[in-house]
Amino acid sequence: MDETPSSTNISTKLERIAKLAREAPTMALTTLAHHIDVEWLLEAYRRTRKDGATGVDGQSAAEYAQGLEQRLESLLERAKTGRYRAPPVRRVHIPKDNGETRPLGIPTFEDKVLQRAVVMVLEAVYEQDFLDCSYGFRPQRSAHQALDVLNQAAVRMAGGWVIELDIRKYFDSIDHERLRGVLSQRVRDGVVLRLIGKWLNAGVMEDGALRQTEAGTPQGGVISPLLANIFLHEVLDVWFHEEVLPRLRGRATLVRYADDAVMLFEYEEDAGRVMAVLAKRFEKYGLMLHPDKTRMVPFKRPGRVPDRRDDDGPDDPGSFNFLGFTIHWGKSLAGNWVVRNRTAKDRFSRALTRLSQWCKRNLHAPLAWQQKILNAKLRGHYGYFGRIGNRARLWIFLYRVRIVWKRWLGRRSQRPLFWKRMNQLLGRFPLVTPAQVRRA
């Protein structure tokens, strides 16, 4: 294209949509798609990853970039007139640690661009509606922020009782009709709703066969996390703050990251009452809670003087898992009880298993290349799990990674690889330590 679109123009349009949504929080918006033009699509193209796998049409991002202006003009015309046909996603299966597989959907590149364009519109609207309790797949929000809020709430109320929520196959089980009903409360733009409907009904292509889907959000699409957030905003967040909190005896906090959520209650009776109605609330929207993984656990601060109104609480403060961490009580350097986050056992084992599988697949690759990739994986692990109080688990992980690497390097030849030789190799190809990443 001859001219690049001004980011200022796009920002102005986004702010205009956000302002309208803020000023009319209960109004269904009917004029949104007119903001989407070629300039908007070009910005969506820029925000779309270019290194992903190809969809059912086999077209790469580089191929789509050829004659980009004409392609985007055609895409805009088809989207606005209703002639756009959402292609099915290409389904592949990713192995899981338990021997099962996780289905992954891969849309076409053009579909990704159009989905991104619609996400930009919807995000400007729903970011005005979403509550502070949700952190997943939202701008300027992260899993660490969710953990911080949960930790601070637990310290403020000296712990209490926790409900761990586990929605069974959430992204695959969202009922399309119920989702449309939730969307129509806020968005009634015909073009936007028609496109979303096409994505919901596009189906999946697997082994050359097309299969239609009656539930779930578009797999692998950039719009899927946003639609999932919109649905749970109605199912859980609004319900908790408008109907649950006013009826409680004590304080309570909800923290949600996508479909992973916990509720913290000051008193056991409050937690018990909510636990009793939780399944029915989700069933109303066609969702099921996992009966074994959704549970209520004690989480009282150790040494706390029991409340006379709640003096039958357990002596064991307990712990629970959230976002890959085990949340537990621990002592600070000053000797005060604080909430700590350590790597959950299943996430620790899963990370090691994946690393071992990677080492096996790349057994005969050059050592310098293996070192580079392993260090990138370690930095990612340290970056996510590098929470205060979790330093020991990071060093243990590095220790175990060295053992795993040694085991697979030992299979490169018939000669055994002893630790003396492995330490020499680690001297030449060192693995990054938690301390080095923290300093960096």
Side-chain angles (χ1 to χ4, degrees), residues 382-413:
Y382 300 155
Y384 184 75
F385 290 103
R387 302 279 294 172
I388 295 175
N390 198 39
R391 181 182 180 186
R393 297 291 286 174
L394 299 185
W395 282 97
I396 292 172
F397 186 77
L398 173 60
Y399 170 74
R400 297 288 297 275
V401 169
R402 286 170 174 164
I403 293 176
V404 166
W405 199 21
K406 172 184 176 296
R407 183 172 74 244
W408 288 109
L409 289 181
R411 300 190 182 188
R412 286 165 66 107
S413 68

Side-chain angles (χ1 to χ4, degrees), residues 200-422:
L200 292 176
N201 296 322
V204 297
M205 184 73 71
E206 186 173 7
D207 297 327
L210 177 63
R211 185 174 69 82
Q212 298 297 330
T213 56
E214 298 179 357
T217 53
Q219 295 187 34
V222 295
I223 201 168
S224 178
L226 179 56
L227 293 179
N229 255 346
I230 292 170
F231 200 53
L232 269 187
H233 168 74
E234 176 69 21
V235 176
L236 181 60
D237 302 356
V238 173
W239 173 72
F240 181 83
H241 285 86
E242 294 186 1
E243 298 187 36
V244 173
L245 281 180
R247 293 176 169 85
L248 298 182
R249 169 186 158 204
R251 293 171 291 177
T253 296
L254 166 68
V255 180
R256 180 175 68 82
Y257 189 94
D259 61 331
D260 200 351
V262 295
M263 300 176 182
L264 174 64
F265 299 86
E266 188 174 7
Y267 297 121
E268 180 182 8
E269 66 181 69
D270 286 339
R273 288 168 57 202
V274 174
M275 187 73 177
V277 300
L278 209 50
K280 291 182 180 179
R281 174 64 184 180
F282 280 81
E283 287 171 5
K284 178 181 177 181
Y285 290 85
L287 301 173
M288 289 185 61
L289 295 178
H290 197 293
D292 299 322
K293 296 180 181 178
T294 299
R295 62 191 189 114
M296 190 173 87
V297 296
F299 193 66
K300 291 192 174 181
R301 186 179 68 198
R304 178 189 179 192
V305 178
D307 190 299
R308 287 176 297 175
R309 299 168 297 174
D310 192 27
D311 58 6
D312 57 346
D315 295 328
D316 181 7
S319 64
F320 61 96
N321 289 345
F322 184 52
L323 299 179
F325 290 89
T326 295
I327 316 298
H328 65 101
W329 289 98
K331 284 288 189 74
S332 69
L333 294 176
N336 300 318
W337 285 108
V338 294
V339 176
R340 296 294 196 199
N341 310 145
R342 68 169 179 266
T343 311
K345 290 181 179 179
D346 62 337
R347 289 292 291 270
F348 187 95
S349 300
R350 191 186 311 167
L352 270 181
T353 299
R354 289 176 177 170
L355 242 160
S356 179
Q357 292 170 345
W358 183 89
C359 288
K360 179 182 178 180
R361 290 195 303 270
N362 298 278
L363 179 64
H364 296 289
L367 288 180
W369 182 81
Q370 288 192 43
Q371 176 211 25
K372 177 183 176 181
I373 303 301
L374 285 173
N375 278 338
K377 293 178 180 295
L378 283 170
R379 287 189 181 94
H381 186 88
Y382 300 155
Y384 184 75
F385 290 103
R387 302 279 294 172
I388 295 175
N390 198 39
R391 181 182 180 186
R393 297 291 286 174
L394 299 185
W395 282 97
I396 292 172
F397 186 77
L398 173 60
Y399 170 74
R400 297 288 297 275
V401 169
R402 286 170 174 164
I403 293 176
V404 166
W405 199 21
K406 172 184 176 296
R407 183 172 74 244
W408 288 109
L409 289 181
R411 300 190 182 188
R412 286 165 66 107
S413 68
Q414 299 298 320
R415 298 170 55 189
L417 178 62
F418 296 109
W419 271 110
K420 180 178 179 180
R421 173 58 179 160
M422 184 62 192

